[in-house]
């Protein structure tokens, strides 16, 4: 029996490639940047039984029409706002993501951003570099205290919980907002639930960790920023789409919130002339929440395992739409592992 064929939309860590190659044939866009042009991606997908993709690939009806053989889309990310899950489910195509393996690494970047913005690390570095370092005086480069402050975490999933765990070590009061109450946060981490407006009013640090969905798109706009303290720091490690960037620009210029730190932008890479980048109270990183070699290897391995499992008739490890199996017309494995 022929081995299943896989398309991999970017170069991935070798152990994951080896795993795929052990039971599948594959083609790969063997570059890191830029991604394959859309037409190349679609024509490669046309002959694939499964694809391993990055968050930058749009998986929608156009993709499904172009890739009639495709049985699994393995996303190498936990967020899957790039995937039209309903369309895949309807056609019996499984989608998978990579939860858990990146939780701690992403919580670390949330904290790196929080600390950097609170204590003006990037602004200070630039001042030193540019010879604008003023001799020590009592009012130079004053920041915000982190220890003992109040942190408001939006999203009570794995990453939000990991952010809260770190906050306990800083003796912070932890507030959270989520669609559902989280016993884990409340009992294990002594966090207190708040309606969003109350959380915004009370928090010294507002950290957005919830995924981008129809409900969270544009969640942070002029109204929400106006509710924050004029000493507050806003951190976003979710997706750029949860923030209205124009509103954030105006809010930061007006000094409420006091500063913001973003790992994600509405358009990525964000153009260098994005006005936000000109503001001294904005810290930006280029979507590096999960960017350590160990974590990226774990993400690629999980995506590869999902892909290989489904293509050999086994259940995926981390499905987004397990109900797709009910719609699927294929049940038998494409090939046996011995192929
Ligand atoms: C994710 O997994 O969703 C991250 O944003 C990718 O770095």
């Amino acid at each position: 029996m022929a081995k299943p064929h896989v398309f991999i939309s970017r170069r991935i860590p070798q152990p994951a490639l080896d795993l795929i190659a052990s039971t599948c044939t594959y083609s790969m866009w063997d570059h890191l940047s830029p991604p394959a042009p859309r037409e190349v991606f679609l024509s490669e997908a046309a002959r694939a039984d499964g694809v391993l993709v990055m968050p930058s690939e749009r998986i929608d009806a156009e993709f499904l029409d172009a890739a009639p053989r495709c049985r699994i889309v393995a996303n190498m990310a936990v967020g899957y706002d790039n995937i039209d899950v309903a369309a895949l489910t309807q056609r019996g195509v499984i989608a998978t993501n990579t939860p858990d393996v990146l939780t701690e690494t992403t919580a670390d970047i949330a904290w790196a951003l929080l600390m950097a913005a609170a204590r003006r690390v990037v602004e200070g570095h630039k001042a030193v570099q540019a010879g604008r370092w003023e001799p020590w005086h009592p009012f130079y480069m004053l920041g915000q205290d982190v220890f003992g402050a109040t942190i408001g975490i939006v999203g009570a999933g794995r990453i939000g919980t990991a952010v809260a765990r770190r906050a306990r070590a800083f003796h912070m009061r932890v507030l959270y907002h989520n669609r559902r109450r989280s016993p884990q946060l409340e009992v294990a981490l002594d966090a207190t639930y708040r309606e969003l407006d109350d959380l915004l009013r009370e928090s010294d640090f507002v950290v957005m960790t919830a995924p981008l969905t129809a409900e969270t798109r544009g969640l942070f706009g002029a109204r929400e920023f106006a509710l924050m303290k004029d000493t507050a720091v806003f951190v976003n490690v979710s997706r750029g789409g949860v923030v209205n960037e124009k509103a954030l620009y105006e809010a930061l210029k007006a000094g409420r919130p006091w500063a913001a730190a973003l790992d994600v932008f509405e358009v990525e890479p964000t153009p260098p002339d994005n006005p936000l980048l000109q503001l001294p109270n904005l810290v930006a990183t280029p979507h590096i929440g999960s960017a350590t070699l160990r974590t990226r290897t774990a993400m690629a391995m999980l995506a590869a395992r999902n892909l290989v499992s489904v293509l050999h008739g086994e259940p995926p490890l981390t499905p987004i739409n397990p109900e797709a199996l009910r719609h699927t017309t294929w049940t038998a494995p494409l090939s046996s592992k011995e192929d």
Side-chain angles (χ1 to χ4, degrees):
M1 202 184 284
K3 289 182 176 182
H5 183 73
V6 162
F7 179 62
I8 306 165
S9 74
R10 213 69 58 83
R11 189 183 307 159
I12 57 172
Q14 195 61 40
L17 198 55
D18 291 345
L19 176 68
I20 292 170
S22 66
T23 61
C24 304
T25 60
Y26 71 87
S27 55
M28 178 167 73
W29 180 254
D30 194 9
H31 306 277
L32 298 176
S33 182
R38 181 74 173 170
E39 59 281 11
V40 174
F41 174 60
L42 293 181
S43 75
E44 286 287 354
R47 58 193 186 95
D49 301 299
V51 292
L52 191 158
V53 300
M54 311 295 130
S56 49
E57 265 77 59
R58 213 174 62 248
I59 305 296
D60 53 8
E62 183 191 37
F63 166 86
L64 290 167
D65 290 343
R69 291 169 50 171
C70 184
R71 287 152 191 211
I72 168 161
V73 173
N75 206 35
M76 193 177 139
V78 66
Y80 50 85
D81 47 287
N82 56 318
I83 300 178
D84 182 343
V85 178
L88 267 66
T89 304
Q90 212 185 7
R91 299 209 204 175
V93 178
I94 286 281
T96 62
N97 66 342
T98 59
D100 294 315
V101 292
L102 47 66
T103 299
E104 302 302 338
T105 305
T106 308
D108 285 347
I109 205 80
W111 266 85
L113 288 170
L114 185 156
M115 297 289 288
R119 299 305 305 275
R120 303 171 71 168
V121 171
V122 176
E123 210 184 334
H125 178 80
K126 284 184 185 164
V128 173
Q129 264 185 334
R132 285 186 280 100
W133 178 351
E134 294 173 27
W136 198 102
H137 69 75
F139 300 99
Y140 184 51
M141 282 267 169
L142 302 185
Q144 303 296 339
D145 275 315
V146 177
F147 191 88
T150 297
I151 187 170
I153 300 169
V154 181
R158 300 173 186 86
I159 295 169
T161 304
V163 169
R165 208 178 321 114
R166 286 157 177 73
R168 300 302 307 166
F170 279 75
H171 292 216
M172 293 173 104
R173 182 164 77 111
V174 180
L175 308 178
Y176 80 98
H177 176 76
N178 196 48
R179 269 184 315 174
R180 272 179 244 106
R181 299 282 283 259
S182 161
Q184 198 194 351
L185 270 172
E186 294 186 19
V187 178
L189 294 169
D190 197 21
T192 306
Y193 177 84
R194 285 282 188 274
E195 292 302 328
L196 183 61
D197 285 3
D198 294 331
L199 178 145
L200 300 177
R201 280 190 201 99
E202 288 180 50
S203 299
D204 300 305
F205 297 92
V206 176
V207 183
M208 175 56 175
T209 67
L212 175 62
T213 60
E215 214 178 318
T216 61
R217 186 174 292 283
L219 181 65
F220 293 92
R223 182 184 162 281
E224 287 67 32
F225 295 126
L227 289 175
M228 293 181 188
K229 297 181 181 183
D230 60 5
T231 50
V233 172
F234 171 67
V235 177
N236 185 15
V237 293
S238 154
R239 286 290 185 268
V242 302
V243 171
N244 177 332
E245 286 185 6
K246 275 203 186 78
L248 179 58
Y249 174 77
E250 295 302 334
L252 286 172
K253 249 180 43 174
R256 185 187 299 267
W258 180 80
L262 310 176
D263 185 46
V264 284
F265 285 80
E266 280 175 11
V267 174
E268 294 183 358
T270 199
D273 63 354
N274 181 341
L276 273 173
L277 303 178
Q278 317 313 319
L279 296 174
N281 52 347
L282 187 281
V283 175
T285 47
H287 201 151
I288 53 170
S290 61
T292 67
L293 184 58
R294 189 170 69 171
T295 292
R296 287 286 163 82
T297 303
M299 291 165 69
M301 284 300 286
L302 180 52
R305 285 198 184 102
N306 277 318
L307 193 71
V308 166
S309 297
V310 169
L311 292 178
H312 292 90
E314 289 162 20
L317 284 81
T318 50
I320 296 165
N321 60 344
E323 65 278 15
L325 289 171
R326 283 204 301 272
H327 295 258
T328 194
T329 50
W330 56 275
T331 45
L334 268 175
S335 63
S336 72
K337 278 216 163 125
E338 288 68 50
D339 277 349

